[in-house]
Amino acid sequence: IIKGIRDSTSALAGTVAYEALNTSAKVTRYAANRLSGVARGGKASDYSLAPGESRMIISLPSRPDEVPSSFVDVSGHAFDSLTAGLREANYKIVYIPYKEYRRKGASGAAKSVVRGIPVAVRAPLSGASEALSYTLLGVRNQLRPDMMREEKANLRGLSSDF
């Protein structure tokens, strides 16, 4: 009886950990998309804007076609996502104000810095959220390789009943 309780508890803990990683990956992916200005369909044009609101699009690298099988497989995409967010912030907070300074002087540079502050905050957060989402996906797949194989089969359009 005690062995059965241990096995059941272990299985429950594994399932809870898997589902927690799965849900966290989905939530952080959603946060990354919202922060980058991409709506559910993957296009920024899907957003409805309030009157007078301007659209901010932060470009993140697209996810690899292959599902990551472990924590190690995600490092490239995670690094690219973080880099893209920081690059976007750098462009808006350093490069554009420098160009405006050369063109219009200090007042132009100050205005462009103020306009770039929202992107300077959102872009690194978006990149970090995407990196975390993909990393959690790799950890989840490392924890349950059987579910990863099933997901790969579903992505290919095959039945999971094999």
Side-chain angles (χ1 to χ4, degrees), residues 20-147:
L21 288 168
N22 193 29
T23 303
S24 298
K26 289 177 182 179
V27 167
T28 54
R29 173 67 178 197
Y30 176 77
N33 285 341
R34 293 296 292 191
L35 286 167
S36 68
V38 177
R40 281 176 119 179
K43 297 180 294 200
S45 60
D46 293 343
Y47 267 142
S48 59
L49 297 175
E53 183 180 358
S54 64
R55 184 178 319 229
M56 279 191 292
I57 307 296
I58 300 165
S59 61
L60 291 175
S62 60
R63 284 194 167 188
D65 292 333
E66 192 65 28
V67 177
S69 58
S70 70
F71 177 75
V72 176
D73 293 347
V74 302
S75 61
H77 180 72
F79 181 75
D80 290 345
S81 296
L82 285 171
T83 303
L86 293 173
R87 187 179 310 122
E88 188 81 23
N90 180 49
Y91 182 78
K92 291 288 188 179
I93 217 73
V94 175
Y95 182 72
I96 290 181
Y98 174 73
K99 282 177 46 177
E100 287 296 313
Y101 175 76
R102 304 232 345 147
R103 206 166 60 136
K104 295 182 181 176
S107 66
K111 285 180 186 176
S112 65
V113 166
V114 170
R115 281 193 303 261
I117 287 174
V119 174
V121 171
R122 284 176 53 178
L125 286 175
S126 177
S129 295
E130 172 61 19
L132 179 61
S133 171
Y134 202 67
T135 301
L136 289 171
L137 191 62
V139 171
R140 179 201 73 174
N141 290 341
Q142 187 172 0
L143 183 66
R144 296 282 304 267
D146 56 326
M147 296 298 284

